[in-house]
Amino acid sequence: MSDLRPRSRSIDGIARHGQLRRSRPAVTVLKFVGAALAVVAVSVASVAGIAVSQITNNAKYVALPGETQGPPPDLGSFEGGFNMLIVGSDTRAGQGAQFGKDDGVLNDVTMLVHVAADQSNAVAVSIPRDMVVPIPACPREDGKGNYNAMSAQPINNTLAYGGLACTVLTVETLTGLDIPFAALITFQGVIQMSTAVGGVPVCINGPLIDKYSGISLPKAGTYTLAGADALAFLRSRHGVGDGSDLGRISSQQVFLSSLVRTVKSNDTLTNFTKLYGIATAASQNMTLSNSLKNVNTMASLALVLKGIPLDRITFVQYPSTTGVGGVYSGKVAPLKDIATALFAKIKADEPFSLDSGTGRGSVTEPSAAPGPSAAPAPSASPSASTPPADALTGVLGQTAADYTCSKVNN
């Protein structure tokens, strides 16, 4: 039975990644709401041969522009690098009465994951939901023509405007990167997957109370968050940083870096029951690009982060700021010069370090007093194989090796 391969088109100046081969063993594990798909894919790989068809049939699929038909790839490691877009939807449809009723469908989280061609490093770029960007002409979901292009709209409108394909096209236009793989996850997906993984330890530097998201952590310390608490933490904007979406992104990166450490350090990758639970929860609450419909493709992609050192997995915020007028009034404006420097590094697969801090919603030195579920954080020692990297001034973020705490909004 034929399936879909990554799109064959390329963009000038960018190496075309995406060939599968049989020979060498794997190298990674991506992430979710952030890390969502990577963990999912590893799960699918582990249960392939038992209930793979059941799991993959649970998911919904959507076509991305330019996808071409081709035979399913052989199971093996993924050769070269790749780009994947992970989108978190804020839809209330089918998510439960606790979230209220809202007919809107916005991309609450938009994260681009890039794995280098030599698979030595990975970068996850979080794009602020309120950042104003050009939106290209997106194909209508019924296949009959395109929606009109728009010159300046918040990027979180793209999901409602033209679905996952429109969000992909917009990010491709913004970054200059070809994105052959995409996944969308809902509130319930985050709830069920964080529970299936066994919870994620998250440090906060003070009481975190946010009535809007529902998170209530009474004092500084480390909490292991799962289920609705994990979702509430990831959604909290008013409770962290300066109450802005930029503060929320750096707080989310505290969670994501801990998630990567958790998945790579415990028995998740060898525990059949846990893997099956993650895969099932994800497949029931995700929409995937058709390029991910084949189990071999998902497994091959996922088997690529396991071998990347923690200090070579970097989470960054798309360079941006608030307080700019005009079309950016009350929204977020891109810092184009800094973004150009960042994506030049990403396109060239060049490792880089960060010297401008983690962002508005996190602190680099854990200052929280011991609290519920607290445990001493092991020191994050850089990999001996990691070469010196050029610092990107003005780019905010952290690596998965950096132990940070969410900075509460007092």
Side-chain angles (χ1 to χ4, degrees):
M1 179 177 179
S2 65
D3 212 316
L4 294 170
R5 282 180 173 169
R7 290 169 288 165
S8 58
R9 62 188 175 87
S10 62
I11 297 177
D12 291 342
I14 304 174
R16 181 65 204 145
H17 306 323
Q19 299 301 314
L20 290 168
R21 64 182 174 125
R22 304 184 186 186
S23 58
R24 85 188 162 85
V27 186
T28 137
V29 168
L30 271 151
K31 56 191 146 15
F32 147 90
V33 128
L37 193 62
V39 176
V40 179
V42 171
S43 308
V44 174
S46 301
V47 297
I50 297 183
V52 164
S53 61
Q54 174 187 342
I55 291 172
T56 55
N57 288 340
N58 283 338
K60 299 176 182 178
Y61 297 93
V62 63
L64 300 182
E67 286 182 330
T68 56
Q69 291 282 350
D74 293 325
L75 181 61
S77 61
F78 195 89
E79 181 178 285
F82 59 87
N83 300 310
M84 179 184 297
L85 193 69
I86 299 174
V87 175
S89 170
D90 73 350
T91 181
R92 270 60 170 177
Q95 301 305 297
Q98 69 271 32
F99 297 111
K101 295 182 178 180
D102 188 339
D103 295 332
V105 180
L106 301 175
N107 36 306
D108 206 39
V109 170
T110 304
M111 180 180 294
L112 173 63
V113 178
H114 173 80
V115 172
D118 64 0
Q119 299 182 349
S120 66
N121 65 83
V123 182
V125 183
S126 292
I127 303 173
R129 55 165 288 158
D130 294 328
M131 193 171 79
V132 176
V133 300
I135 297 179
C138 293
R140 294 180 180 273
E141 293 89 333
D142 60 8
K144 299 178 180 178
N146 295 325
Y147 294 106
N148 293 330
M150 296 181 286
S151 61
Q153 290 291 323
I155 196 169
N156 70 331
N157 288 339
T158 57
L159 196 59
Y161 191 57
L164 184 59
C166 189
T167 306
V168 168
L169 281 175
T170 301
V171 176
E172 288 184 328
T173 301
L174 179 67
T175 65
L177 291 170
D178 187 24
I179 304 172
F181 305 108
L184 180 149
I185 188 168
T186 61
F187 287 169
Q188 284 297 331
V190 177
I191 289 173
Q192 294 180 30
M193 287 181 63
S194 61
T195 299
V197 81
V200 176
V202 172
C203 169
I204 57 174
N205 73 339
L208 175 52
I209 311 294
D210 184 352
K211 65 180 181 180
Y212 296 97
S213 75
I215 191 68
S216 180
L217 306 177
K219 60 182 180 179
T222 300
Y223 296 78
T224 297
L225 301 181
D229 288 336
L231 176 66
F233 176 87
L234 289 165
R235 292 183 63 211
S236 179
R237 177 167 64 87
H238 296 86
V240 296
D242 58 357
S244 70
D245 188 51
L246 301 187
R248 180 174 69 161
I249 285 176
S250 54
S251 178
Q252 288 174 340
Q253 290 175 348
V254 173
F255 182 100
L256 293 175
S257 61
S258 180
L259 173 68
V260 171
R261 293 193 299 269
T262 299
V263 170
K264 287 169 71 73
S265 65
N266 66 13
D267 65 346
T268 297
L269 302 182
T270 58
N271 185 314
F272 172 84
T273 301
K274 187 174 291 187
L275 288 172
Y276 185 82
I278 295 170
T280 301
S283 65
Q284 292 173 344
N285 295 280
M286 295 188 76
T287 298
L288 305 174
S289 59
N290 281 335
S291 53
L292 292 171
K293 186 177 291 186
N294 185 270
V295 173
N296 289 1
T297 301
M298 292 188 70
S300 297
L301 286 175
L303 291 174
V304 182
L305 215 273
K306 183 167 122 176
I308 298 180
L310 290 174
D311 62 317
R312 302 296 294 277
I313 301 172
T314 307
F315 298 95
V316 300
Q317 173 185 300
Y318 189 100
S320 54
T321 189
T322 54
V324 178
V327 295
Y328 305 113
S329 181
K331 299 294 181 181
V332 175
L335 296 172
K336 296 181 180 179
D337 289 345
I338 300 176
T340 297
L342 169 64
F343 282 96
K345 288 284 189 184
I346 291 175
K347 292 173 188 178
D349 288 341
E350 295 178 1
F352 57 86
S353 61
L354 303 172
D355 66 0
S356 300
T358 59
R360 304 180 185 186
S362 60
V363 291
T364 55
E365 293 296 329
S367 58
S373 303
S379 58
S381 56
S383 168
S385 63
T386 302
D390 294 332
L392 276 178
T393 300
V395 179
L396 304 175
Q398 68 171 88
T399 72
D402 296 326
Y403 287 81
T404 55
C405 291
S406 288
K407 181 180 179 182
V408 302
N409 182 14
N410 295 322

